[in-house]
Amino acid sequence: MIQRVQSIWLLLASITILLLLFVPIVSSQSAGSEYWILATGLYKKTNGVAGKIEYFKPLFMNTVAVAMLCFATIFTFKKRIGQKRLIIFAMISTLFLGFWIFDAAQNIPGGIASVNLGIGAFLPLISLIFCALALRGIRKDEQLLRSADRLR
């Protein structure tokens, strides 16, 4: 059923991944300029003027794809086995996305050692937790259906 709790968890997982497009992942101060990384690219702010230095098109597309996968999984509620497989695939994709973001963070001027972690650095982990909770909700539904079948 679409109104089950796992739908809420999957929606929250999708939203947290999409927040990577708007929330800074890492930031750094170097040579009088402020740099920060979003899933869309590397940005620089000098003298109050902000601009994009580098565009991460593959990272952007992958971020949107993982978010859409989490969202689309909500609508596969009629096939619980397929929904569980899609959630596991979304979790693996989120892990790869996290490693890719770490790799992109190394492009920040000043190196990775001098960065300040933003909220965006923890969003893939939060999304993994939401996916795991959705998986647990599906397993509970399966157990409930099995127990109902035993009563018949």
Side-chain angles (χ1 to χ4, degrees):
M1 297 179 163
I2 199 165
Q3 70 270 19
R4 304 303 282 179
V5 70
Q6 58 264 23
S7 300
I8 295 169
W9 294 126
L10 288 169
L11 180 65
L12 289 173
S14 178
I15 290 170
T16 54
I17 292 295
L18 281 178
L19 282 176
L20 287 171
L21 301 174
F22 307 106
V23 177
I25 299 166
V26 293
S27 61
S28 176
Q29 298 278 339
S30 177
S33 298
E34 180 182 355
Y35 297 93
W36 67 94
I37 290 183
L38 303 175
T40 56
L42 174 63
Y43 293 85
K44 176 183 178 182
K45 183 176 184 181
T46 306
N47 299 329
V49 179
K52 188 182 294 188
I53 296 176
E54 187 178 352
Y55 184 61
F56 302 148
K57 187 175 182 179
L59 181 61
F60 169 75
M61 291 171 41
N62 193 18
T63 303
V64 172
V66 171
M68 296 312 294
L69 176 65
C70 289
F71 186 73
T73 305
I74 295 171
F75 301 103
T76 60
F77 58 89
K78 290 183 181 180
K79 300 175 184 172
R80 284 181 307 280
I81 294 172
Q83 190 176 32
K84 285 186 348 184
R85 287 181 183 160
L86 281 175
I87 290 173
I88 291 170
F89 181 68
M91 291 174 76
I92 292 169
S93 299
T94 304
L95 279 174
F96 283 126
L97 181 66
F99 288 123
W100 198 350
I101 287 171
F102 175 74
D103 186 48
Q106 293 180 357
N107 293 338
I108 200 161
I112 193 80
S114 65
V115 299
N116 300 322
L117 294 177
I119 295 172
F122 304 104
L123 289 177
L125 177 64
I126 294 170
S127 177
L128 281 174
I129 293 169
F130 287 149
C131 287
L133 289 170
L135 199 57
R136 188 180 78 173
I138 293 170
R139 287 184 181 146
K140 283 186 177 181
D141 279 352
E142 286 178 337
Q143 290 174 350
L144 181 67
L145 286 173
R146 280 191 211 122
S147 69
D149 285 344
R150 275 184 264 157
L151 292 174
R152 287 187 205 176

